[in-house]
Amino acid sequence: MRAVVQVASTARVEVEGEIVGQLDSPGLVILLGVTHDDDQAIARKVAEKIWRLRIMEDETSAAGNQAPLLVISQFTLYGSVRKGRRPSWSNAAPSPVSEPLYEYFVQYLRELGSHVETGRFGAMMDVSLTNTGPFTMIVDSADLA
């Protein structure tokens, strides 16, 4: 599982002109990619790491200041440009695998106490945000102990 995490003062996701998720106060925008061997244990580990990372203002975590989260599915995080000019998506898990894990990730964050907004899985989305800092991190389950 791979996540690009951005600290944002505001953010929103629109699908066909409709706002489907937004941050009205400072929080985290999480672009989440799922690969073939991911499971619920990995989703929990990544969710807990992000929720407790001290990356917000004054070295606080989203958990510590109850910051909202906006989680957006992003299969392109597993794109490969190793060969040719056209990216390969073979490392991204297919929708029947990735959608339930994406939903589980969101639900688990809510169980941890987070207010979570989301995009719409599989939809063409317009994402806008004001990145604070700017601060952007990549959290990859392969890197977690």
Side-chain angles (χ1 to χ4, degrees):
M1 191 165 279
R2 188 172 289 157
V4 173
V5 182
Q6 296 179 293
V7 178
S9 57
T10 61
R12 76 171 180 256
V13 179
E14 294 182 39
V15 176
E16 297 179 2
E18 173 193 357
I19 297 174
V20 296
Q22 64 184 6
L23 297 181
D24 290 325
S25 61
L28 301 178
V29 174
I30 303 166
L31 305 176
L32 186 71
V34 177
T35 193
H36 301 281
D37 59 354
D38 288 339
D39 59 21
Q40 289 184 349
I42 290 172
R44 286 191 303 273
K45 185 183 284 189
V46 172
E48 288 171 3
K49 177 61 83 173
I50 293 169
W51 180 233
R52 293 188 174 93
L53 272 178
R54 293 171 52 184
I55 59 175
M56 308 258 330
E57 188 175 346
D58 298 326
E59 293 188 16
T60 60
S61 66
N65 64 12
Q66 292 298 301
L69 309 178
L70 175 58
V71 181
I72 303 161
S73 63
Q74 188 74 46
F75 77 92
T76 62
L77 293 179
Y78 278 102
S80 173
V81 295
R82 183 175 299 254
K83 294 168 47 177
R85 296 178 307 191
R86 183 176 300 163
S88 166
W89 311 116
S90 62
N91 291 331
S95 294
V97 173
S98 59
E99 186 172 9
L101 279 174
Y102 165 79
E103 295 294 339
Y104 181 81
F105 179 87
V106 167
Q107 184 56 41
Y108 188 70
L109 283 168
R110 288 177 176 146
E111 289 173 16
L112 291 173
S114 177
H115 171 80
V116 182
E117 297 275 325
T118 64
R120 186 171 295 153
F121 189 92
M124 180 60 75
M125 296 175 272
D126 292 325
V127 180
S128 60
L129 69 129
T130 302
N131 187 314
T132 304
F135 196 101
T136 301
M137 293 195 72
I138 297 171
V139 177
D140 195 312
S141 60
D143 298 332
L144 300 180

